[in-house]
Amino acid sequence: MPAVVFKDFSYAYKGSTKALDSINLTIPKGSFTAVVGPSGAGKTTFCLAIAGVVPHYYGGSLAGQVIGDGQNTLDSSMCALSSRVGTVLEDYESQLVTMTVAEEVAFSLENAGLPRAEIAKRVEQVLALVGLRGLEQAEVATLSGGQKQRLIIAAVLATEPAILVLDEPASALDPEGADELYALLGNLNKQGITIIVVEHDLARIMPYAQQMVLLNQGKLVIADRPAQVLTHMWQHDIFSASIPPLWQLRLRLRQAGFELEEWLTDEEAMGELQKLISKKEVCRSA
């Protein structure tokens, strides 16, 4: 069973034009999917549709379906959907509602009526998972931005969702915090959780993404392996500037007739470029 399926899905907020238009897409279970595109492409609405926030909270008009973890989002309440789809918003601090770290993780579990022993067990497990063990009694206000982001993820994971959707999760983090966050998301994905992330920094997402979804003006442009999507983006000026510099170099070299292996990290890129330089030097010496 796929994690998420969009079937001819269109949506418009009240009094506005379509934010998403005729989306057909399947996101495999257990995958790591990056959602990319220029400002106004519909990326946030895409996330909200998976979580059922659109249309349950915002209203508006829609056509088609979104199936998340086997459940039509229109047939379930937001509360029921939240147990299947965990959502971390770009303004993550607005999701923090309690005073201490342990209370934040326990909050949704208490509302769900779980036994105290089960709540304590889950709080311990998820705080260890996100690297916040030992901070159970720390005040939320004293945490760094990266720690708050991980706390939100812990609170979401405590409900044991099959899908984790994050909208620009690293936008307010410094480079070190962003790297730590994506390492955490990569580990969660290895444990079987489907990860769907909106991200503008494609270099940061490349080491983790197995699928990339490119949106523009509410429409699905292409969904494929990251290398294929970047190749498509390279052919269109509206997208090409957002391609990571080393990938731009790879695509330019391809145009010049040099084929290089795909790379995910800067280290892999430098390795491939060094191989190319070595080959050129051998040819010159010959």
Side-chain angles (χ1 to χ4, degrees):
M1 180 178 67
V4 178
V5 179
F6 283 78
K7 295 182 178 180
D8 296 317
F9 184 79
S10 298
Y11 174 77
Y13 293 97
K14 291 180 180 179
S16 69
T17 56
K18 287 181 180 178
L20 293 175
D21 187 5
S22 303
I23 304 293
N24 284 285
L25 175 69
T26 297
I27 296 178
K29 186 176 182 179
S31 64
F32 195 122
T33 295
V35 182
V36 303
S39 178
K43 302 185 295 294
T44 293
T45 306
F46 181 91
C47 292
L48 297 178
I50 296 172
V53 179
V54 163
H56 288 301
Y57 180 79
Y58 285 104
S61 59
L62 64 77
Q65 298 178 330
V66 179
I67 311 296
D69 196 34
Q71 182 66 48
N72 188 326
T73 58
L74 285 179
D75 296 336
S76 294
S77 66
M78 286 177 56
C79 182
L81 287 168
S82 67
S83 66
R84 296 183 173 92
V85 181
T87 307
V88 179
L89 305 175
E90 181 178 3
D91 180 18
Y92 59 87
E93 293 204 39
S94 67
Q95 291 182 258
L96 297 168
V97 296
T98 65
M99 294 294 293
T100 71
V101 168
E103 289 172 346
E104 188 67 40
V105 177
F107 181 75
S108 61
L109 304 179
E110 291 170 345
N111 287 341
L114 269 65
R116 286 183 179 274
E118 178 63 20
I119 292 174
K121 175 184 174 182
R122 292 197 192 185
V123 169
E124 180 181 1
Q125 287 176 337
V126 296
L127 289 180
L129 188 61
V130 303
L132 294 179
R133 175 182 281 169
L135 295 178
E136 288 82 357
Q137 302 310 313
E139 293 187 7
V140 172
T142 67
L143 301 181
S144 68
Q147 288 173 325
K148 288 178 181 177
Q149 184 68 281
R150 282 185 279 160
L151 176 57
I152 287 295
I153 293 174
V156 170
L157 291 176
T159 63
E160 299 182 342
I163 303 166
L164 184 58
V165 180
L166 306 99
D167 187 5
E168 296 277 11
S171 61
L173 303 181
D174 59 29
E176 182 179 358
D179 289 343
E180 290 175 354
L181 172 65
Y182 271 101
L184 168 61
L185 296 179
N187 287 333
L188 293 174
N189 181 241
K190 289 177 182 177
Q191 295 177 37
I193 297 177
T194 302
I195 306 291
I196 302 169
V197 185
V198 171
E199 180 56 73
H200 72 277
D201 187 344
L202 303 192
R204 178 163 285 128
I205 199 75
M206 285 296 290
Y208 304 98
Q210 299 151 10
Q211 176 177 247
M212 189 171 283
V213 174
L214 175 62
L215 300 175
N216 186 40
Q217 296 182 340
K219 294 182 179 292
L220 174 62
V221 179
I222 183 175
D224 207 329
R225 291 171 46 249
Q228 299 303 114
V229 174
L230 291 183
T231 300
H232 180 89
M233 293 172 67
W234 180 246
Q235 299 165 359
H236 299 81
D237 291 342
I238 190 174
F239 306 127
S240 59
S242 63
I243 297 175
L246 284 173
W247 262 90
Q248 291 191 32
L249 176 59
R250 179 182 184 276
L251 293 165
R252 289 183 186 279
L253 288 169
R254 174 185 284 180
Q255 286 181 329
F258 298 99
E259 280 295 333
L260 299 171
E261 294 294 328
E262 293 180 10
W263 55 61
L264 298 178
T265 66
D266 289 352
E267 291 75 14
E268 291 174 355
M270 297 308 295
E272 284 299 312
L273 292 172
Q274 186 59 52
K275 289 179 185 177
L276 178 62
I277 293 170
S278 298
K279 288 179 181 177
K280 295 282 287 184
E281 290 176 346
V282 168
C283 290
R284 285 174 183 167
S285 62

